Amino acid sequence: MSNDNSSLRDAALHFHEHPRPGKLEIVATKPLANTRDLSLAYSPGVAIPCEEIAADPQAAYKYTSKGNLVAVISNGTAVLGLGNIGALASKPVMEGKAVLFKKFAGIDSIDIEVNEQDPKRFIEIVAPLEPSFGGVNLEDIKAPECFEIEEALRERMNIPVFHDDQHGTAIIVAAAVINAMKLVGKDIASVKIVTSGAGAAAIACMNMLIAVGARRENIWIADSKGLVTTARHNTVDRWRGAFAQDTDATELSEVMAGADIYVGLSKAGALKPEMMKDMAPNPLILALSNPIPEIMPELARETRPDALICTGRSDYPNQVNNVLCFPFLFRGALDCGATVINEAMKAAAAEAIARLAHEPGLEATAHGVPAIFGRDYLIPNPFDQRLILRIAPAVAKSAMDTGVAQRPIADWAAYRDQLNRFVFRSGLVMKPMIERAQGQGKTIAFVDGEDERVLRATQVILEDGIGHPLLIGRPSVISQRLERFGLTIRPGKDFAVINPEDDPRYRDYVADFHELVGRKGVTADTARTIVRTNTTVIGALAVRRGEADALICGLQGRFIKHARDIQSVIGLSDEALQLSALSMLVMNRGVFFLADTYVNIDPTADEIVAITLQARDHLRRFNIEARAALLSYSNFGSRDGATSIKMRQVYETLKEVAPDLVVEGEMQGDLAVNESLRDRYVSSSMLKGEANLLIFPNLEAANLSMTLLKELNNALPVGPILMGTRQPAHILAPSVTSRGVVNMAAIASSEAVGN
């Protein structure tokens, strides 16, 4: 086994074992803080909703979690590329699928591994589970049993049953085909489609293409024994047999001439270059075998420069990834109480995905390809935050139109707002920053280059293409620690190093630094000592000299000392009056930004105006429009004092200099997040709903509020984001995790791209 594979194995095992085994936990949604809570949650109070449900089964969706609960069920007969490894060994995959449901769509999910390979007995085990769940996601069940199982369960269960291996892939393939045919001007009803592979996904793909306009007589399928034809009627099941062609040909290569679309769901190398040569102009190649596709994109493009190419891999454009679809499909189905996921709902999902690719992308793709509809952008990025906003409503509407929705959505604006709030409640809020940074090659100087968190983050930053790390530290120490932590990256090979003890640029750094601070009482000898011992100064000089694009520091030492060093070397931006700090808290309620949380003890009104405008600009990097609340102990003049008067001045100035900014104040914190309370004072405010940018009158209020909110809400902190520097520079909190370091690196790299 190679070192890379060994490292991946160790990392994967560590990830699944620590800090506690597995990837899931169950969390109570109601408080159990006293005897009354207990009496409501259990006996005697629990009997009352039981009686309501007994009288009206639909009440279960009102009083229990059934409506947002999906079972991920497998017998482990076709797990990823591992084959029939059994139910127990499939559990990590099923847990992972449940995590994706929660992360991408806010759907609670329980994995159920059934130790039964007989399809009839499997059906009898799963069907009675209907009262527990709002939907069933079948996973990793081999063909043809998966067809029989899904078909039977859909007939017997009055909740959505969906085999994602079949239909998830099929929906995304359909979206790619819809867009590819539009791009090259072909009619989907007349195109010729050839397919290698006749398993669950392949059959579902062909049925899905028929649902969006393809014609069955134009589809040719080959399995491991050759072309599926009428002559083989005794050797194929009824699902493959539905696509049997009446022909003397026996191999797929014999029918490739004139083909417009190739769909590969078979094995590496199944599509030979010579098979592509007689395909129709502008052929679409969907080579979806993983990890090695039926033909590598480079070879396909060399053979047919006019080809449009999709793979299942994340390192090429047009990735066909099931996560584009299944969380959001279930979201829409659950939200309207669908009893089934029918062909119309799947087609609606495919068309919604296809339409989204025509909208200008929020960011460039991970491959540096502009997110603009074209040959390398036929389908959206799997992390496009708009997927849930497009797919879930389209699916719910289709369910309603086809009469399978038990709880139709009445207020579409409210529903879309609910989905929008979820997008920003999840960790996906960082995705725009990461996507903007990926592939741009920005160099990020890390002052604490020997710290374990920085070293682990460096590996992730390199793997994800977020930037080129420049670590400040002793190479021998860095190498020893990389070895100790089992990381595969190496200094000088994968990333650059500045050695504070022996770097050839030392004299130049000293000269540059002394020129900056010589007239501030710093002698040449002192400058030499500082540059040798102060790694923040070293990193800031690297940025100033153009050897790095951004700086990350702060794991050791005081925040304000780092801020002073940054300001003395990198300096302030032209529009900044001072440095300031913006902190982000990701909570169940939503994402909130707070300023200034670290720098200015008692900023003036003009300084707070500048801080607010800088914060607004930073929120836009997250694709979030600021809704600012100017906080005080008074509400709209209810009490005079130094801070309340100051915040009123801030409001008046902001309305003058930034009339389009949604801002309100001065007001107390509860009014900032409670519109009904706020309306008692001002009913005509531009600020609707919750504020997402909280501006404080002084450091004491900001820092106390931030730390309390973080602890009381178990919030995920991101930042602080240092604002006002001439070039990107950020000071980490000493408690930051390695993932936090990655997040700040993405923010810094994204800023550098913007600069």
Side-chain angles (χ1 to χ4, degrees):
M1 181 179 289
S2 70
N3 288 337
D4 284 353
N5 286 340
S6 177
S7 175
L8 175 62
R9 178 182 178 83
D10 292 344
L13 292 175
H14 185 276
F15 178 87
H16 282 78
E17 182 180 0
H18 301 285
R20 55 189 292 184
K23 300 190 284 281
L24 293 174
E25 66 176 347
I26 294 175
V27 178
T29 62
K30 300 294 191 295
L32 290 172
N34 50 49
T35 302
R36 176 170 172 76
D37 289 345
L38 185 60
S39 69
L40 291 172
Y42 203 55
S43 182
V46 73
I48 297 170
C50 289
E51 291 171 344
E52 293 291 314
I53 295 169
D56 176 13
Q58 284 298 307
Y61 293 94
K62 185 176 181 180
Y63 299 118
T64 77
S65 62
K66 176 180 172 71
N68 194 52
L69 187 62
V70 168
V72 178
I73 304 181
S74 180
N75 62 3
T77 53
V79 180
L80 299 177
L82 304 175
N84 188 352
I85 60 174
L88 181 60
S90 77
K91 187 172 179 62
V93 179
M94 303 312 128
E95 283 190 356
K97 197 63 176 280
V99 169
L100 294 180
F101 268 116
K102 185 67 173 180
K103 186 70 173 178
F104 283 88
I107 295 172
D108 295 318
S109 184
I110 299 293
D111 63 293
I112 299 176
E113 292 73 36
V114 179
N115 193 21
E116 179 55 69
Q117 297 194 15
D118 179 82
K120 289 184 173 54
R121 293 185 63 185
F122 183 91
I123 292 163
E124 293 303 321
I125 292 169
V126 174
L129 298 177
E130 180 181 336
S132 298
F133 301 100
V136 170
N137 182 98
L138 299 172
E139 193 78 14
D140 291 350
I141 301 171
K142 69 183 180 73
E145 289 91 334
C146 62
F147 300 120
E148 178 184 348
I149 289 169
E150 186 190 41
E151 193 175 87
L153 290 176
R154 288 183 63 178
E155 290 177 0
R156 291 181 56 174
M157 302 178 82
N158 202 37
I159 57 175
V161 177
F162 183 82
H163 186 210
D164 186 45
D165 300 314
Q166 294 181 58
H167 309 298
T169 301
I171 288 167
I172 303 157
V173 164
V177 169
I178 289 168
N179 276 344
M181 297 305 98
K182 284 182 181 178
L183 186 65
V184 299
K186 295 181 180 180
D187 179 4
I188 193 171
S190 61
V191 295
K192 180 179 180 180
I193 302 168
V194 293
T195 305
S196 63
I203 297 300
C205 284
M206 296 308 104
N207 285 325
M208 191 72 246
L209 290 179
I210 291 170
V212 297
R215 297 176 67 86
R216 186 179 298 271
E217 57 265 30
N218 295 335
I219 296 174
W220 303 73
I221 287 182
D223 59 16
S224 59
K225 296 182 175 63
L227 202 63
V228 175
T229 68
T230 53
R232 290 183 53 197
H233 65 277
N234 291 326
T235 65
V236 295
D237 54 58
R238 62 184 173 92
W239 295 279
R240 282 181 292 169
F243 293 93
Q245 292 277 13
D246 187 7
T247 177
D248 293 331
T250 59
E251 299 295 333
L252 191 68
S253 59
E254 299 176 58
V255 296
M256 287 291 293
D260 298 279
I261 300 170
Y262 168 82
V263 181
L265 287 153
S266 50
K267 62 181 181 180
L271 180 60
K272 308 299 182 187
E274 56 270 21
M275 296 166 66
M276 294 180 61
K277 291 181 179 177
D278 293 327
M279 291 183 73
N282 295 305
L284 171 62
I285 307 298
L286 293 128
L288 306 181
S289 172
N290 254 327
I292 303 174
E294 284 78 3
I295 189 168
M296 291 301 292
E298 298 88 347
L299 181 55
R301 202 171 297 283
E302 178 185 337
T303 306
R304 288 294 300 265
D306 60 338
L308 296 81
I309 303 168
C310 301
T311 71
R313 292 172 53 136
S314 61
D315 52 347
Y316 290 98
N318 294 325
Q319 183 194 11
V320 175
N321 187 328
N322 285 17
V323 82
L324 267 165
C325 170
F326 74 83
F328 319 121
L329 179 71
F330 266 96
R331 181 74 279 159
L334 292 174
D335 290 341
C336 69
T339 57
V340 68
I341 294 175
N342 57 32
E343 294 304 307
M345 293 162 69
K346 289 183 279 186
E351 288 160 2
I353 294 169
R355 283 195 301 271
L356 181 56
H358 290 264
E359 299 181 32
L362 299 176
E363 306 297 336
T365 69
H367 319 284
V369 176
I372 300 171
F373 179 63
R375 289 175 174 268
D376 290 327
Y377 193 71
L378 294 172
I379 45 180
N381 187 300
F383 291 104
D384 193 313
Q385 294 173 317
R386 299 167 298 179
L387 283 164
I388 191 171
L389 305 177
R390 303 294 188 273
I391 298 173
V395 169
K397 185 177 186 306
S398 179
M400 292 163 57
D401 290 344
T402 54
V404 299
Q406 297 181 100
R407 299 183 302 281
I409 294 169
D411 187 339
W412 285 101
Y415 179 56
R416 290 188 176 92
D417 182 64
Q418 174 187 329
L419 295 174
N420 194 58
R421 287 166 62 86
F422 167 74
V423 169
F424 297 117
R425 185 166 61 243
S426 74
L428 293 177
V429 71
M430 278 302 302
K431 289 302 176 183
M433 292 291 188
I434 294 171
E435 294 291 325
R436 185 183 291 114
Q438 284 178 321
Q440 298 302 309
K442 297 299 180 182
T443 299
I444 309 162
F446 288 91
V447 163
D448 303 288
E450 298 175 4
D451 189 280
E452 177 182 357
R453 290 166 292 179
V454 170
L455 295 174
R456 292 192 180 279
T458 295
Q459 176 114 16
V460 175
I461 290 164
L462 288 167
E463 289 174 352
D464 291 352
I466 291 171
H468 298 310
L470 170 61
L471 272 53
I472 300 171
R474 295 161 293 178
S476 59
V477 175
I478 291 172
S479 295
Q480 290 169 2
R481 292 183 178 178
L482 289 171
E483 190 73 29
R484 184 195 313 166
F485 303 143
L487 302 175
T488 60
I489 53 175
R490 294 294 176 261
K493 176 185 176 185
D494 300 298
F495 59 89
V497 175
I498 293 177
N499 183 358
E501 294 182 343
D502 182 21
D503 193 279
R505 295 164 289 192
Y506 174 67
R507 292 180 183 275
D508 293 335
Y509 277 35
V510 171
D512 289 348
F513 183 62
H514 189 245
E515 184 177 346
L516 287 169
V517 299
R519 292 185 178 275
K520 298 179 182 178
V522 178
T523 66
D525 285 343
T526 302
R528 279 191 287 272
T529 300
I530 291 173
V531 173
R532 182 72 76 188
T533 59
N534 189 325
T535 52
T536 297
V537 169
I538 295 172
L541 286 167
V543 172
R544 183 182 178 89
R545 288 163 53 87
E547 295 162 0
D549 300 295
L551 173 70
I552 303 289
C553 63
L555 293 182
Q556 305 292 331
R558 293 185 303 128
F559 184 97
I560 198 63
K561 176 64 169 61
H562 291 293
R564 289 169 184 158
D565 289 337
I566 289 169
Q567 183 167 342
S568 68
V569 177
I570 293 177
L572 297 176
S573 62
D574 293 339
E575 67 277 7
L577 300 177
Q578 74 293 309
L579 296 178
S580 59
L582 177 68
S583 294
M584 179 169 73
L585 295 178
V586 182
M587 299 185 286
N588 286 336
R589 182 176 183 132
V591 176
F592 295 89
F593 295 82
L594 294 74
D596 167 22
T597 49
Y598 278 90
V599 181
N600 297 282
I601 294 175
D602 189 16
T604 67
D606 286 343
E607 288 173 335
I608 294 175
V609 168
I611 289 168
T612 304
L613 295 177
Q614 290 167 359
R616 173 201 62 187
D617 294 342
H618 273 277
L619 263 66
R620 285 176 176 168
R621 296 182 189 276
F622 290 93
N623 297 326
I624 298 173
E625 283 301 317
R627 301 189 302 275
L630 307 176
L631 300 181
S632 178
Y633 54 77
S634 65
N635 287 319
F636 307 102
S638 65
R639 185 175 179 183
D640 285 337
T643 58
S644 60
I645 292 171
K646 177 169 66 174
M647 298 309 275
R648 284 175 225 159
Q649 293 172 344
V650 172
Y651 176 76
E652 295 300 329
T653 304
L654 284 171
K655 296 309 293 180
E656 181 180 343
V657 301
D660 293 334
L661 174 66
V662 177
V663 61
E664 192 54 270
E666 93 282 9
M667 58 185 164
Q668 295 176 357
D670 54 352
L671 269 67
V673 295
N674 189 320
E675 185 175 9
S676 63
L677 289 178
R678 191 167 61 246
D679 284 346
R680 297 177 187 177
Y681 289 86
V682 285
S683 58
S684 58
S685 173
M686 284 181 66
L687 176 59
K688 304 299 181 184
E690 292 181 336
N692 56 18
L693 174 58
L694 307 179
I695 303 296
F696 293 85
N698 54 48
L699 181 61
E700 184 175 33
N703 194 270
L704 285 172
S705 298
M706 178 194 67
T707 51
L708 278 172
L709 284 171
K710 179 169 68 72
E711 291 303 315
L712 292 175
N713 293 278
N714 192 29
L716 169 67
V718 178
I721 300 168
L722 192 63
M723 303 189 295
T725 55
R726 185 170 296 277
Q727 293 166 278
H730 298 290
I731 306 167
L732 300 170
S735 59
V736 71
T737 63
S738 59
R739 173 49 60 180
V741 176
V742 173
N743 284 339
M744 289 308 301
I747 289 171
S749 182
S750 174
E751 285 182 77
V753 171
N755 290 346

